Amino acid sequence: MLDIFLKTLPFFGIIGLGYLAGRRGFFTPEATAYLTKFVFFFALSAMLFNFAANLSLSDIFDPGFVGAYLWGCGVVYLLATAVAFWRGLSVAEAAIEAQVAIIGNVGFLGIPMLVLLLGEAAAGPMLMVLATDLIVFSSLIVILITGSRDGRMSLGVFKTVGLGLLKNPMIVSIVLGLMWSYSGRELYAPVNEFLSLLGAAATPGALFAIGASLAGKSAERIEVAAWLSFCKLVLHPLSVALAALVLFPVEPFAAVVMISASALPVAGNVYMLAQYYNVAPARVSAAILVSTAVSIVTVSLVIGWLSPLS
C-alpha cells in the first residue's frame, strides 16, 4: 500500500504545485483557462488519438464491461438523486448532484495516472470508461436539466446533445484514432513522434491545470460536499466493484482498471456544466475541492486493495 501511495504521490504533488501557483496569484485564472484549453484540445487529444490508433474497436467497446460499469454507476446515480429529492431539491439540482456522485476526473487525471501505474494495457478500459461517461451521462444531464426547464422533451434537446458530442475533442480523437486503427496502417514515424511529443505534455499540463483551477474553488456547504465526495470516492467504487467482480464478472485486469477509474475525484467538467446552466456551481466546486484532497489517500487505498487481482 505504501509503495502505491508513493507512486501516486507525484501526480498529486503536481496538482498541489498548480494549486499553490493559483493561490499565490502566480498563475492567474486566465492563464489556467488557457492551459486547460491547450491540454483539452491539443495534448490530451493527441494522447487519446495515439492510444486509440493502436487499439481495435473490441479493445474499447466490450458490452459486458460497459454493462457492469453502467450498473455500478446507475445504483449510485439513483441513490444520490433520491437523497437530493428527499432534501427537497429540484430536478436540475438533483441531476447535478447525481453527476457529481459518479463522474470522475478520467480524462485529466485518470488516463495519465492509471496508464503509468497499471501499464499501457489500461488504455483500452480507460477509454471505455471515458466514452461511457461522455456519451451516456454527459448527455443525460443535459436532457434532464433542459427538459425540466422546458417542461417537456423536444428534438432541440437531442440536437444539442448530438452537437455537443460531435464537438467534444476527446470523443473526436478517440473516433479518429479507431478509424486509423481500422485502416491497418501504422502511424508514419514523424506523425507518431509528433503525437507522442504533444501527448507527453498532457500528464503534467492536466495535473497542473487541475490544481490551479482548484485554487479558485471554495469549500462552502461542506456537509453537502462531504456527502457527494463520499458517494464519489467510496460508494461509487464499491458499487462498480460489486458489478464487475460479483454480478457481471469482468476480466480481472479490466475490472481493476474500471474500479480504479471509479475511485477518482469529481471531474472539473461537472463544474463547467453547473456554471453553464447556473445550477449549484458553488456546491459542485466544493465537492471537487474536497474529493480531490481526500482522494490523495483513497485512490491509493483502492488501487492497493485491487493490486492482487491484476
Side-chain angles (χ1 to χ4, degrees), residues 87-301:
R87 286 166 36 227
L89 301 184
S90 65
V91 171
E93 288 177 297
I96 283 288
E97 289 200 359
Q99 194 84 351
V100 169
I102 64 164
I103 300 300
N105 205 332
V106 176
F108 275 41
L109 175 61
I111 289 177
M113 183 171 71
L114 294 181
V115 167
L116 284 175
L117 288 176
L118 303 175
E120 290 204 2
M126 287 300 296
L127 292 182
M128 270 193 279
V129 169
L130 178 62
T132 304
D133 284 346
L134 291 173
I135 294 171
V136 177
F137 294 108
S138 292
S139 301
L140 180 59
I141 191 171
V142 174
I143 292 170
L144 288 173
I145 292 176
T146 308
S148 68
R149 288 181 172 176
D150 294 345
R152 61 185 177 85
M153 291 296 166
S154 65
L155 290 177
V157 175
F158 297 99
K159 181 180 178 181
T160 300
V161 169
L163 288 174
L165 292 174
L166 290 175
K167 292 178 180 179
N168 190 304
M170 290 191 285
I171 291 289
V172 172
S173 57
I174 292 172
V175 171
L176 291 177
L178 285 173
M179 290 173 63
W180 186 272
S181 173
Y182 184 74
S183 73
R185 297 182 178 181
E186 290 188 8
L187 286 171
Y188 305 117
V191 174
N192 189 47
E193 290 180 16
F194 168 79
L195 292 172
S196 297
L197 185 62
L198 183 57
T203 300
L207 296 175
F208 193 93
I210 290 171
S213 66
L214 288 175
K217 292 178 169 51
S218 61
E220 300 173 8
R221 301 189 66 178
I222 193 67
E223 68 283 351
V224 178
W227 157 246
L228 295 175
S229 297
F230 177 74
C231 286
K232 183 67 205 69
L233 300 177
V234 179
L235 297 183
H236 190 210
L238 283 176
S239 182
V240 170
L242 177 63
L245 300 177
V246 180
L247 300 178
F248 314 100
V250 174
E251 186 272 322
F253 180 77
V256 167
V257 177
M258 183 199 303
I259 301 164
S260 299
S262 69
L264 295 168
V266 182
N269 64 354
V270 184
Y271 176 75
M272 294 177 194
L273 284 168
Q275 196 171 43
Y276 178 80
Y277 288 106
N278 194 27
V279 180
R283 202 177 313 164
V284 177
S285 171
I288 293 173
L289 185 61
V290 172
S291 66
T292 302
V294 176
S295 68
I296 297 173
V297 175
T298 58
V299 167
S300 299
L301 290 173

Side-chain angles (χ1 to χ4, degrees), residues 14-37:
I14 298 175
I15 293 175
L17 184 64
Y19 180 81
L20 288 174
R23 291 293 290 182
R24 301 290 293 181
F26 183 79
F27 223 72
T28 65
E30 185 180 22
T32 302
Y34 280 107
L35 175 60
T36 302
K37 281 185 178 181

Side-chain angles (χ1 to χ4, degrees), residues 69-87:
Y69 181 68
L70 284 174
W71 190 95
C73 291
V75 169
V76 180
Y77 192 96
L78 291 174
L79 175 63
T81 301
V83 170
F85 284 149
W86 175 72
R87 286 166 36 227

